Amino acid sequence: MRPDGRITDVPGIGKKSAADLGTIGIHTLRDMVLFPPRAYDDRREERNLSDTTPDNPSIACRITVISHSQFPSKRSGMTLKATCADDDGRRIELLCFNRPFMKDMLKLGSSWYITASAVERNRNGIYSTASFELKRTREEAGIGRILPVYPLTGSITEKMMRNASSYAIDALSPFEDELPYDIYRRYSLMHHDDAYRCIHYPSDDTDIKEARRTLAFTELMLMELSILRGREHGRKAPGKISRLEEKLISSLPFQLTADQIEAASEIRADLDSTHPMNRLLQGDVGSGKTLVAWLAALHEIAKGNQVAFMAPTELLARQHAEGAAELLSSAGIRIAFLTGSVKGQSRRLLLESLKEGTTDLVVGTHALFSEDVSFRHLKLVIIDEQHRFGVQQREALKNKGIDASILSMTATPIPRTLALTLFADLDVSTLHTMPSGRIPVKTYLVSDSNRDNMYQSIAVEFQRGHQAYFVYPRIDDEGESDIRDVTHMHEELKSKYPGVPSALIHSKLPEEEKIRILHDFRARKIMYLVATSVVEVGIDIPDATCMVIEHADIFGLAALHQLRGRVGRSSLPSYCFLVFGKNLSMEAKARLAVMKETNDGFRIAEKDLEIRGPGEMAGDRQSGFLRLRFASLTSDLDLIEDARKEAERIAEEDPGLLRIENAPLRIALSKQG
Ligand code: ADP
Ligand code: MG
């Protein structure tokens, strides 16, 4: 490829247009070549006026001007109407608003090649259009070709984009190969010089498909390689376990699982290396991530450093602070709790102790990183339920000048195929197995009209001293009478279970009230909670064995799985009842079937991916971490596998990419910067 140039090199692209193009990531000619069309305008066939259909009202044909008329338009100015005929004699009126000069151009009797994406037809069989392009020659009008259709921005027109892409291709070509020769052959890929031309200006559908496949494969392969190469540098010596950690482990009433031990040791190695850690701890709901987090915290505290533990809700932060106090304060760890609701004198004292370093571990919400908070030597930030915060949180920490290690925890598992890909810059530890003695939650699908059995089984659980959650999607009846709202259902349940203590909990309650209720639930003073999805994340009450989810059909799979994860957190058998109404959509049926079929969060996430596609699931992770241009995370799973396989082979055989056949890869990677 010849040297890159600025996008302003393209004739007709000035400062203003360049600024607009900048907003979609096009700064240079190379950016333009790498910018894929969103669709194609197939002008291979000439389309006369009689060829239009409601599905495809476009035309691309020759017309001759037969008459003119002008009339004042609604706004100021005159509208020119030029009546033309195509070669079959069918008529079309071209409407030129405020462009009287068009009259001189559209001389009577002159012929033009017109392209328009949509023409309208009136009762008299006359067509009209206001948006059209006229060219002197067939060639110029692109007739006989397939033209790219790009996403537009600001003042940029399709015409400017096409100009820019063909200019950029001419200026930079020939394009060199970016993959080893052998890979082109084995995967029947296009060579890159063809691929870049064909993705913009294909001559048929096969060109489009094959060019896209080649560019997607290349993109995935370069990404996988850069991940693998990043890993190479990161081989670390195992960290040494501290006395504090040993003490915590020996005080536990249970054994750590093998995965917990492994994850803790990976984290230790990271924390003892010279680079700040950036690790994701993923594990299904109930797999015991919190304990791994405390071990990580102790490892830093043993070195005299501070640790911050952040949870997405005040309720969860409180639960964790209490858990920490129970497990860690006997070892002399100084723990503090900080949320937005900590105010006045106690806040002032707390902030002082963080600044002076007399607090070792602070647990809280995002308020931990408000403006007025500063630390003496914060070395580790633990983010629980990371998916709740989004990726910006990490950026936000960086922007605040906090360059601590980060341990993110999530139970929203990323399907195996995507884990590496989505978290390109993260190391990942996974808790695959549950603590021993857990019995998988049994899930029942209950139709709305068939709920009596369910109520009875739960009554039996109450008699055994076990607890339950009833979850509803709404707080109060906002005129949507088919939604069983919490307030109303609480009354109904009270009459079903007379004498069984219960409480209503939802996000509109004052924070202290929620905390009190959860306390009483944990202390078994309350036997069931009637709740909105505030109980979704993190809440850990081992004696709760029943989870009823009303209107389960309107919850997403991730939420259902999280909610179900509130039970089955001990060695007691647990039950999840998914209550659904009438008229289920196909997707809702599919979701419920998945929930019934499996408890495995990974499988559920994979199914979720199938049902919904990953864009949504990955949320800002996708747009934040990756800018995939050509590859699709939904439809290219096979390509992802192949690209990973090849990248792994190459990274293994030739980690420095020094072999002659791998030179194209080395060059392509260095261009990515
Ligand atoms: P999650 O991974 O969903 O955050 P938690 O960390 O809340 O899960 O752990 C769920 C429950 O399992 C807690 O009550 C915790 O004390 C318990 N637990 C954690 N590790 C083990 C283990 N190795 N054996 C038995 N129970 C464990
Ligand atoms: Mg948790």
Side-chain angles (χ1 to χ4, degrees), residues 178-224:
E178 292 178 21
L179 297 172
Y181 179 74
D182 174 52
I183 288 186
Y184 287 100
R185 194 177 47 76
R186 276 189 293 125
Y187 291 93
S188 325
L189 300 175
M190 269 185 181
H191 282 276
H192 276 73
D193 192 46
D194 292 329
Y196 283 124
R197 290 170 196 277
C198 287
I199 197 76
H200 295 280
Y201 296 97
S203 43
D204 54 28
D205 295 339
T206 316
D207 271 2
I208 300 175
K209 201 167 134 243
E210 293 306 316
R212 207 191 67 78
R213 195 167 70 89
T214 297
L215 296 174
F217 191 94
T218 312
E219 177 172 54
L220 291 166
M221 176 116 180
L222 292 178
M223 180 172 67
E224 301 291 355

Side-chain angles (χ1 to χ4, degrees), residues 476-493:
D476 50 28
D477 196 336
E478 294 160 333
E480 298 185 49
S481 50
D482 61 326
I483 303 285
R484 286 168 181 270
D485 57 279
V486 261
T487 331
H488 165 234
M489 276 306 288
H490 190 199
E491 293 310 311
E492 193 171 322
L493 288 169

